[in-house]
Structures are given as C-alpha cells and as structure tokens.
Amino acid sequence: MRILVNQKIKRLFSRVLIFFILFTAVSVICVSLRFHYAVYCVLLSSLALGTAVFVSMYLYFREQNKIMEDAVLQIKDYISGDRNARIECDDEGELYRLFHEVNSLVSILNAHAENEGRSKNL
C-alpha cells in the first residue's frame, strides 16, 4: 500500500505537520518568555491546532467523498446503458488505480458485448 503517492494525501500530512510545528513553536515561545498568561496561550494554541487539523481532515474527506460519489454516478450510468461512461483516473494513488481497473473492466465488458452482437448477426 503506497499511501504517500497521492499528492492530496501528501498535502494533508504536510498541513497537519505544519500545524503541529506552529503549535509547538507558539507554546515554547509563550513559556520561555515567562508570559504571565502562558497557560492560556498554550490552551488557545492547542484549541487552534485541534480546529485546524479537524478542518483540514474535513475538507480532505469531503473532497474524497465527492470523488467517490462521482465514481458511483458513472457506474450507475454504465449500468443504465451508457457504454461510454468512464471514471476519471488521471491522478496517482490507490483509489485512482481502482478506478483505472474499473474502467478496464468496462472496456472488457463492452468488447464481449460487441463480440456477442457480431456472432448473433452472423
């Protein structure tokens, strides 16, 4: 399983890493400057960290859900009779590899249907 092949996943992990680095830097600065309300500063920065990570994850999974919904619609179109229905599989990653295999399966099914149609006409 190649998790970090997909650019979107790399961006997600990079964002989360940057948020943790920023949280650590803000916390260290607040404590090292002997800021009177350092506890509140660390508390607020940890809340900001949690919110930022949650929002990043939400946006990533919302985008993934949209991609999956589009794929389901294409599969339903194919089942309904649209022989030209294809799933976008131009990006890298395991999900797009799956989409490529589904498109290959559709091509094979179309070829079998064409061969059957030709053999019936003979």
Side-chain angles (χ1 to χ4, degrees):
M1 190 160 120
R2 292 167 272 158
I3 294 174
L4 295 177
V5 173
N6 190 331
Q7 290 296 326
K8 294 173 187 173
I9 294 175
K10 282 183 187 177
R11 266 187 270 138
L12 175 67
F13 277 99
S14 298
R15 284 183 192 146
V16 170
L17 179 64
I18 288 169
F19 294 147
F20 274 103
I21 290 170
L22 288 173
F23 164 73
T24 304
V26 168
S27 297
V28 167
I29 289 170
C30 286
V31 171
S32 66
L33 292 177
R34 299 182 195 264
F35 184 56
H36 183 67
Y37 297 106
V39 173
Y40 297 116
C41 181
V42 172
L43 176 66
L44 287 176
S45 64
S46 66
L47 288 174
L49 168 70
T51 303
V53 169
F54 178 77
V55 168
S56 295
M57 295 284 196
Y58 173 76
L59 293 174
Y60 173 77
F61 286 116
R62 186 179 71 178
E63 184 178 349
Q64 288 296 103
N65 185 53
K66 183 179 179 284
I67 291 168
M68 293 297 291
E69 288 295 324
D70 290 342
V72 168
L73 286 175
Q74 291 298 319
I75 291 170
K76 285 182 179 180
D77 286 347
Y78 180 78
I79 291 171
S80 298
D82 182 8
R83 299 292 178 217
N84 295 319
R86 296 290 183 271
I87 303 172
E88 280 292 317
C89 60
D90 296 333
D91 289 338
E92 294 181 10
E94 297 295 315
L95 183 62
Y96 295 101
R97 195 174 108 203
L98 173 66
F99 291 166
H100 176 72
E101 294 301 323
V102 169
N103 287 338
S104 298
L105 181 62
V106 165
S107 298
I108 291 168
L109 289 172
N110 285 340
H112 284 305
E114 264 184 45
N115 288 338
E116 272 189 33
R118 276 193 229 134
S119 66
K120 286 182 181 178
N121 288 338
L122 294 177

